[in-house]
Amino acid sequence: MMPVQSSASRPFSPDNLQNSSELTLNGSIYKIRDMGSFAFIILRTARYLVQCVFDPQKCDADLNTLVENSSIKVSGSIVLDKRAENGFELHLNYITVLSSPYAQMPISINKKGLNISLETNLENRPYILRNHKQRAVFKLQEGIVSGFRNYMLANGFTEIHSPKIVESGAEGGANIFKLDYFGEKAYLAQSPQFYKQTMVGVFDRVFEIAPVYRAEKHNTSRHLNEYIGLDFEMAYIDDMYDVMAMETGMLRAVMEELKANYSQELKLLNVDLPEIDFIPALTFMEAKGILKESGRKIKNYYDFEPDEELAVSEFIKKEYNSEFVFITHFPSSKRPFYAMDDKVDPDYALSFDLFFRGLEVTTGGQRVHDYTEQVQKMTDKGLDPAEFESYLMIHKYGMPPHGGLGIGLERLLMRLLNQQNVREASLFPRDLSRLSP
Amino acid sequence: MMPVQSSASRPFSPDNLQNSSELTLNGSIYKIRDMGSFAFIILRTARYLVQCVFDPQKCDADLNTLVENSSIKVSGSIVLDKRAENGFELHLNYITVLSSPYAQMPISINKKGLNISLETNLENRPYILRNHKQRAVFKLQEGIVSGFRNYMLANGFTEIHSPKIVESGAEGGANIFKLDYFGEKAYLAQSPQFYKQTMVGVFDRVFEIAPVYRAEKHNTSRHLNEYIGLDFEMAYIDDMYDVMAMETGMLRAVMEELKANYSQELKLLNVDLPEIDFIPALTFMEAKGILKESGRKIKNYYDFEPDEELAVSEFIKKEYNSEFVFITHFPSSKRPFYAMDDKVDPDYALSFDLFFRGLEVTTGGQRVHDYTEQVQKMTDKGLDPAEFESYLMIHKYGMPPHGGLGIGLERLLMRLLNQQNVREASLFPRDLSRLSP
């Protein structure tokens, strides 16, 4: 019987240096630069690269026993040096090797630029992610999620966890994964739509951060088959503009979070954060009109082509200096059955997308809350209300006016970093041909 | 083109009353008590029940037009009253009906005790959750998650999101859901084990809050087929006691979070929070010895039976006044291939469980970090290392000593509330026969 005591120390941060002159660090040897009479050892710690100076006169260790990617524990003296990355060098006194690699990496990760194809990167992801720029992408992903969540919590939203194994798809269509559930047919959730609406009836405002599954059969640079959805849903709205305003405030908070707590990754990846003052909104038909005026041939009056999203974004950037634009009032026929139609012109839904730097990153809108209206809309769309009995309970027994949205985390991150392919913004992407790592 | 402005107000909280004398609120009519010359209207807001007083002399509305479960907007004067739940009553001046139910609920949710079976509860979950005690369970669930996450972030852990569609199971065994992935065989992740170890090689300390899938074919009060895993993994540990100490600190932080920010739900559900001073630890064999000494017949020397978990917990409660107990050094043959064996006695693994009030809520331990050792252990267990090539990359190219654990969120919540069935701690539980709602 023994009480449990910890000897593990918190990961290194330069903010914690204070006035100490000695420092003990854990880390992986990122690079050794042998300068003849001494050597630089770059130590990769949880978040920082730390430049250590190894002088055989002062440190009781044999340089020849040290290899890249060994995990070591070091102690030394802090020597302030403004040229060094964290404002100091560590002059080593002790080195303990904790673990050594079995082999050296086929692809060196300590180069400034990796210079490998996306295919090679993804095949070797388990160690490629150890590159300091590769991993910085996912610290920023953490920052976006933190900014989103903190804003939601501060605005009275309750965090929920809804099941991903479901009886039926919420978004319709064929792009849904099927599953054998103890002999029954089941699916992987295409969105938490039914559940977040249900929980709006319980908590008024809810949000969820969870995986979303789309069995899209096309291989593009902007689709993933499993991604993280940032979803929220809110009651007591006057109209969909309340939802759009909430998203605007949230995005502003996300950028502030990144600026405040992720400055080192922003600098490392040379990220140009968007300024969000206000986000302009165009109706679907206004946007199509602008495209037409600019001399484009409009083929599709139900949705946007990728190059149209880009052109609308560029127009808005030039005219309003905004990197975001809302598109509202999409054609009702292309929006899901839970979207509320515009009473003024029911051919259009009170539904919107958000484009960021030419890419759709959000779909949202006001939802139907009235039972009779929802049953009618299902029937109009050729759906059988009897199949949605438990979902319709919420309308039947009273729902407040409400709306919400879903954001694709990886798409938001991808545009923030101006990446070419959404797979770069996912730790272990799932696509048509990729199930591993 | 219009700038987006929001008129939506934050949900009511009694903390924000300050010195105002007037208040406007949104909510659902929870209960109407007609007293003859006046009426009480209990308004269900996002988190609080607010007692409103309707006097036809002072309020321009017809009581007969109001029904339970209508969504309304009200304005009135605050009249302080220490007997009222939030310290005040709202004397109404205006009522606007925003939305009305189509039908009244088959089961009234505004009773003190619901008095329905679990089966009926789960069938009608979409509106039963609107009961103020039912929903309080999930505010506390939010609190546990917040406490966990904040503690992790404060201790230098990075939040990650790993895929749930995977090529192979991490935990072995037959309890895994199969999936058709564009013609390939795929699975739903039994744990984020491989990915969190991989990410320890990247960020030293990581955590994840995400669904976990177990195709358990037995119907018990403690198993769910989809649950939320609170997982963490940390590098540069001396031994598994560092992991156990991290969990102890985290659990203490969770209880503090609940005490600080969820006192109203704790009171409503009469929750007795455990005091966590230190958590005693017994080895597996010590625990079996205690059971034997107490006169029990030990049938299973590889794991614990549910009644044994309870008996060990009761012993520890009596002897050490702790509601938690760690059990360490489980038989190696029953622990997964990634668990590190005790060098002193390799029949036992450096692996532990945590029991809380008689129920296992955590499994964790130190992991193998050496490549040769991991390959050997796989081979000894009859596994083919070639099938784990991308996982083994992390060992091959260098891993620090590390360990971690997984916690079942619903089990932790279930024991905290002394619920009889883990389904009560899940919003929309998935079990052998339940795919909906």
Side-chain angles (χ1 to χ4, degrees):
Chain A
M1 174 73 57
M2 57 167 84
V4 169
Q5 293 285 334
S6 174
S7 60
S9 55
R10 287 203 46 196
F12 164 73
S13 161
D15 302 341
N16 302 339
L17 279 184
Q18 292 165 340
N19 297 320
S20 47
S21 58
E22 301 289 316
L23 185 63
T24 297
L25 283 181
N26 293 313
S28 171
I29 299 179
Y30 200 50
K31 193 182 259 184
I32 301 175
R33 278 192 290 154
D34 194 341
M35 311 298 282
S37 62
F38 73 102
F40 289 113
I41 298 176
I42 312 297
L43 198 65
R44 184 171 62 82
T45 69
R47 191 170 179 183
Y48 301 89
L49 297 181
V50 176
Q51 178 151 307
C52 303
V53 177
F54 172 83
D55 179 346
Q57 307 294 318
K58 293 182 184 149
C59 184
D60 185 28
D62 180 357
L63 191 62
N64 294 315
T65 65
L66 299 178
V67 292
E68 281 174 10
N69 305 312
S70 278
S71 297
I72 60 177
K73 179 174 188 163
V74 301
S75 295
S77 318
I78 294 171
V79 177
L80 297 181
D81 185 339
K82 284 189 180 160
R83 295 164 308 174
E85 200 171 303
N86 304 301
F88 75 99
E89 285 181 340
L90 193 64
H91 288 227
L92 300 178
N93 303 126
Y94 300 98
I95 303 177
T96 311
V97 176
L98 303 172
S99 142
S100 295
Y102 174 82
Q104 284 302 314
M105 297 171 177
I107 300 159
S108 259
I109 56 158
N110 60 16
K111 300 278 169 11
K112 286 236 161 161
L114 273 175
N115 255 327
I116 51 173
S117 69
L118 181 58
E119 189 62 26
T120 305
N121 180 326
L122 296 180
E123 285 299 323
N124 296 280
R125 204 88 169 140
Y127 68 90
I128 294 293
L129 286 169
R130 297 181 189 178
N131 170 268
H132 66 304
K133 286 188 178 178
Q134 289 285 312
R135 71 179 186 173
V137 171
F138 298 96
K139 274 313 266 192
L140 292 176
Q141 189 188 64
E142 174 191 76
I144 292 176
V145 172
S146 282
F148 171 77
R149 185 169 48 221
N150 293 341
Y151 189 78
M152 291 288 104
L153 290 172
N155 281 280
F157 286 73
T158 294
E159 186 173 16
I160 61 166
H161 305 279
S162 69
K164 305 306 157 201
I165 301 182
V166 294
E167 196 181 34
S168 61
E171 308 300 330
N175 64 350
I176 188 163
F177 288 110
K178 289 179 196 67
L179 189 76
D180 171 51
Y181 192 81
F182 304 115
E184 298 285 315
K185 207 193 290 180
Y187 302 94
L188 290 184
Q190 293 166 307
S191 81
Q193 188 61 36
F194 294 171
Y195 295 108
K196 61 182 183 160
Q197 285 187 259
T198 300
M199 295 313 293
V200 153
V202 174
F203 287 126
D204 291 2
R205 294 180 168 194
V206 297
F207 73 100
E208 181 163 10
I209 299 164
V212 168
Y213 300 92
R214 301 283 169 106
E216 311 262 9
K217 286 203 184 63
H218 41 286
N219 211 340
T220 80
S221 62
R222 48 202 254 155
H223 287 95
L224 291 169
N225 295 105
E226 174 172 4
Y227 66 89
I228 299 295
L230 306 177
D231 272 275
F232 74 71
E233 200 77 15
M234 56 194 282
Y236 300 106
I237 59 172
D238 285 337
D239 48 43
M240 69 174 160
Y241 298 104
D242 285 337
V243 179
M244 292 154 66
M246 188 62 73
E247 180 168 30
T248 304
M250 181 276 290
L251 287 169
R252 216 179 274 135
V254 164
M255 301 311 153
E256 276 158 23
E257 169 72 20
L258 294 178
K259 218 179 283 181
N261 297 318
Y262 295 85
S263 60
Q264 94 132 11
E265 285 81 13
L266 293 175
K267 201 178 139 201
L268 191 62
L269 299 179
N270 218 348
V271 180
D272 185 19
L273 282 187
E275 292 288 332
I276 303 174
D277 179 14
F278 86 104
I279 298 184
L282 292 174
T283 67
F284 179 85
M285 286 307 289
E286 281 171 349
K288 286 287 181 182
I290 286 168
L291 291 167
K292 209 169 173 179
E293 267 172 47
S294 76
R296 284 171 178 265
K297 201 152 191 162
I298 309 299
K299 282 164 279 181
N300 181 348
Y301 272 99
Y302 293 100
D303 205 345
F304 291 99
E305 305 292 330
D307 65 306
E308 292 182 332
E309 291 181 7
L310 200 61
V312 171
S313 282
E314 279 169 0
F315 172 85
I316 290 291
K317 171 81 173 126
K318 209 158 71 183
E319 294 287 312
Y320 299 92
N321 197 29
S322 171
E323 304 203 86
F324 291 91
V325 55
F326 283 115
I327 311 289
T328 65
H329 299 84
F330 273 72
S332 188
S333 60
K334 283 289 174 182
R335 297 304 246 202
F337 64 80
Y338 52 77
M340 185 183 276
D341 291 335
D342 190 358
K343 300 289 176 282
V344 179
D345 184 352
D347 284 348
Y348 294 91
L350 297 173
S351 179
F352 64 87
D353 276 5
L354 178 69
F355 296 171
F356 173 36
R357 295 181 178 164
L359 182 69
E360 179 223 309
V361 294
T362 297
T363 296
Q366 182 162 5
R367 324 301 190 183
V368 179
H369 58 268
D370 182 78
Y371 178 73
T372 312
E373 188 180 335
Q374 183 60 87
V375 168
Q376 185 61 51
K377 200 163 174 189
M378 282 176 169
T379 312
D380 290 348
K381 290 210 173 235
L383 297 165
D384 180 4
E387 282 180 21
F388 297 90
E389 195 187 335
S390 71
Y391 172 56
L392 283 170
M393 276 183 192
I394 66 172
H395 307 82
K396 199 176 205 170
Y397 305 130
M399 274 298 277
H402 66 286
L405 57 75
I407 299 166
L409 171 61
E410 293 84 352
R411 282 195 173 188
L412 184 57
L413 179 59
M414 172 198 182
R415 294 324 300 134
L416 195 69
L417 302 186
N418 290 314
Q419 292 170 330
Q420 295 305 304
N421 195 307
V422 71
R423 289 164 183 79
E424 298 175 62
S426 171
L427 276 182
F428 303 99
R430 291 294 172 257
D431 62 26
L432 264 178
S433 59
R434 197 173 303 281
L435 254 176
S436 163
Chain B
M1 176 72 58
M2 57 166 84
V4 169
Q5 294 284 336
S6 173
S7 61
S9 55
R10 288 202 45 197
F12 165 72
S13 162
D15 301 341
N16 301 338
L17 278 185
Q18 293 162 338
N19 297 319
S20 46
S21 58
E22 301 290 315
L23 185 63
T24 297
L25 282 181
N26 293 313
S28 171
I29 299 179
Y30 200 51
K31 192 183 258 184
I32 301 175
R33 278 191 289 153
D34 194 340
M35 312 297 282
S37 61
F38 73 103
F40 288 113
I41 297 177
I42 310 298
L43 198 65
R44 183 172 62 81
T45 70
R47 191 169 178 183
Y48 301 89
L49 297 181
V50 176
Q51 178 151 309
C52 303
V53 178
F54 172 83
D55 179 345
Q57 308 293 318
K58 292 182 186 151
C59 185
D60 186 29
D62 181 358
L63 191 62
N64 294 317
T65 66
L66 300 178
V67 293
E68 279 174 12
N69 304 313
S70 279
S71 296
I72 60 177
K73 180 174 187 162
V74 301
S75 295
S77 319
I78 294 171
V79 177
L80 297 181
D81 184 339
K82 285 188 179 162
R83 295 164 307 173
E85 198 170 303
N86 305 299
F88 75 99
E89 284 181 341
L90 192 65
H91 288 226
L92 301 179
N93 302 125
Y94 300 98
I95 302 176
T96 312
V97 176
L98 303 172
S99 143
S100 295
Y102 175 84
Q104 284 303 314
M105 298 170 176
I107 300 159
S108 259
I109 56 158
N110 60 15
K111 301 275 169 14
K112 288 239 161 159
L114 272 175
N115 255 328
I116 52 174
S117 69
L118 181 58
E119 188 63 25
T120 304
N121 181 327
L122 296 180
E123 285 299 323
N124 296 279
R125 204 87 167 140
Y127 68 90
I128 293 293
L129 286 169
R130 298 181 187 177
N131 171 268
H132 67 303
K133 287 188 177 177
Q134 289 286 311
R135 71 179 186 174
V137 171
F138 298 96
K139 274 313 266 192
L140 293 176
Q141 189 188 64
E142 173 191 75
I144 292 175
V145 172
S146 283
F148 171 75
R149 184 168 49 220
N150 295 341
Y151 189 79
M152 292 287 104
L153 290 171
N155 281 281
F157 285 74
T158 294
E159 185 173 15
I160 60 166
H161 305 279
S162 68
K164 304 307 157 202
I165 300 182
V166 295
E167 197 181 34
S168 60
E171 308 301 331
N175 64 350
I176 188 163
F177 287 109
K178 288 181 196 67
L179 189 74
D180 171 50
Y181 191 79
F182 304 116
E184 298 286 314
K185 207 195 287 181
Y187 302 94
L188 291 184
Q190 294 166 306
S191 81
Q193 188 60 36
F194 294 170
Y195 295 108
K196 62 181 183 160
Q197 283 187 261
T198 299
M199 295 312 294
V200 154
V202 175
F203 288 126
D204 292 2
R205 293 180 170 196
V206 298
F207 73 100
E208 181 164 8
I209 299 164
V212 169
Y213 300 93
R214 302 283 170 105
E216 311 262 9
K217 287 202 183 63
H218 40 285
N219 211 340
T220 79
S221 62
R222 50 203 252 155
H223 287 93
L224 290 169
N225 295 104
E226 174 172 3
Y227 66 88
I228 298 297
L230 307 177
D231 272 275
F232 74 72
E233 201 76 14
M234 56 194 282
Y236 300 107
I237 59 170
D238 286 337
D239 48 43
M240 68 174 161
Y241 298 105
D242 285 338
V243 179
M244 291 154 67
M246 189 62 73
E247 181 168 29
T248 304
M250 181 276 290
L251 287 169
R252 217 178 272 136
V254 164
M255 301 311 153
E256 276 158 23
E257 169 72 21
L258 293 178
K259 218 180 279 181
N261 297 317
Y262 295 85
S263 59
Q264 95 132 10
E265 285 81 12
L266 293 174
K267 201 178 140 202
L268 191 61
L269 299 180
N270 219 347
V271 180
D272 185 18
L273 283 187
E275 293 288 333
I276 304 175
D277 179 14
F278 86 105
I279 298 182
L282 292 174
T283 67
F284 179 86
M285 288 306 291
E286 281 171 349
K288 287 287 181 182
I290 287 167
L291 290 168
K292 209 168 172 181
E293 266 173 47
S294 76
R296 283 171 179 267
K297 202 152 191 160
I298 310 298
K299 282 164 278 180
N300 182 347
Y301 270 99
Y302 293 99
D303 206 346
F304 291 100
E305 304 292 330
D307 66 305
E308 291 181 332
E309 291 181 8
L310 199 62
V312 171
S313 282
E314 280 169 359
F315 171 84
I316 291 290
K317 172 81 174 123
K318 209 159 67 184
E319 293 289 312
Y320 298 92
N321 197 30
S322 170
E323 304 203 85
F324 291 91
V325 55
F326 283 116
I327 310 290
T328 65
H329 298 84
F330 273 73
S332 188
S333 59
K334 283 289 174 183
R335 297 306 246 201
F337 64 81
Y338 53 77
M340 186 183 275
D341 290 335
D342 190 356
K343 301 290 176 282
V344 180
D345 184 351
D347 285 347
Y348 295 91
L350 298 173
S351 179
F352 64 86
D353 277 4
L354 178 69
F355 296 170
F356 173 35
R357 294 179 179 165
L359 182 69
E360 179 223 309
V361 294
T362 297
T363 296
Q366 182 161 7
R367 325 301 190 183
V368 178
H369 59 268
D370 182 77
Y371 178 73
T372 312
E373 187 180 335
Q374 183 60 87
V375 168
Q376 186 60 52
K377 198 161 177 190
M378 282 175 170
T379 313
D380 290 348
K381 290 208 173 236
L383 297 165
D384 180 2
E387 283 179 21
F388 297 90
E389 197 187 334
S390 69
Y391 172 56
L392 283 170
M393 277 184 192
I394 66 172
H395 307 82
K396 199 177 207 169
Y397 305 130
M399 273 300 276
H402 66 285
L405 56 76
I407 299 166
L409 171 60
E410 293 84 352
R411 281 195 175 187
L412 184 56
L413 179 59
M414 172 198 181
R415 294 324 299 133
L416 194 69
L417 302 186
N418 290 313
Q419 293 171 328
Q420 295 306 305
N421 195 307
V422 71
R423 289 164 182 80
E424 298 175 61
S426 171
L427 276 182
F428 302 99
R430 290 293 171 261
D431 63 26
L432 263 179
S433 58
R434 197 174 304 280
L435 255 174
S436 165

